[in-house]
Amino acid sequence: MAIKESREILIEATPEEILDVIAEFEAMPEWSGPHESAEVLETGEDGRPSKVKMRVKTAGITDEQVVAYTWDDNVVSWSLVSSGQQKSQDGSYTLIPKGDNTLVKFQVTVDPNVPLPGFVLKRAVKGTMDAATQELRSRVLKVKKGK
């Protein structure tokens, strides 16, 4: 059964600064708890990654996945190409400028291969949501400060 979750967070940065951090997949294991490794397999005409291979561990479950990315003005979306643990995954970040800040809307739908106990699923979803919002915000602010 597919699980759909969403969360919003305000980040003190421009959409471009946030998208640059998201696009730097090789650095993702440095700031995103679930990501053990990430390797860009293909790059689109815009220079942004279009296919990425990742090793992700959440709630004690490790998964090797390949994900296809699409980049628009202030939106990045993705779909699962292959995975050992999921039937499907679709997600997106939508970035809405708010003065000097950006409202980041994150949403993801995941369909695991096997049914998981509720407490395991809840822990996995929380880890994913925290990494996608709070850990992203921390990384963006750290990168921005280092400029």
Side-chain angles (χ1 to χ4, degrees), residues 31-93:
W31 61 268
S32 174
H35 289 86
E36 294 183 340
S37 66
E39 173 190 358
V40 174
L41 301 176
E42 294 177 14
T43 304
E45 290 179 16
D46 60 359
R48 298 251 192 219
S50 58
K51 195 177 282 184
V52 181
K53 180 179 178 182
M54 300 177 215
R55 182 175 172 88
V56 181
K57 184 174 185 178
T58 184
I61 300 167
T62 302
D63 191 18
E64 296 273 348
Q65 29 184 264
V66 175
V67 182
Y69 287 84
T70 304
W71 302 83
D72 290 316
D73 289 338
N74 285 342
V75 178
V76 58
S77 57
W78 61 90
S79 291
L80 192 66
V81 174
S82 65
S83 165
Q85 300 293 331
Q86 300 174 49
K87 293 178 197 167
S88 66
Q89 180 187 133
D90 295 291
S92 67
Y93 282 105

Side-chain angles (χ1 to χ4, degrees), residues 125-146:
V125 168
K126 182 181 182 331
T128 299
M129 300 307 285
D130 287 349
T133 56
Q134 295 166 348
E135 293 175 24
L136 172 65
R137 179 180 177 271
S138 295
R139 178 64 176 196
V140 168
L141 296 179
K142 181 179 177 184
V143 167
K144 187 175 176 178
K145 188 181 269 187

Side-chain angles (χ1 to χ4, degrees), residues 4 6-7 10 13 16 19 24 36 43 57 71 76 93 95 112-113 132 134:
K4 184 173 185 172
S6 63
R7 192 181 284 182
L10 194 66
E16 295 78 24
L19 288 171
E24 194 181 349
E36 294 183 340
T43 304
K57 184 174 185 178
W71 302 83
V76 58
Y93 282 105
L95 287 65
N113 275 339
Q134 295 166 348

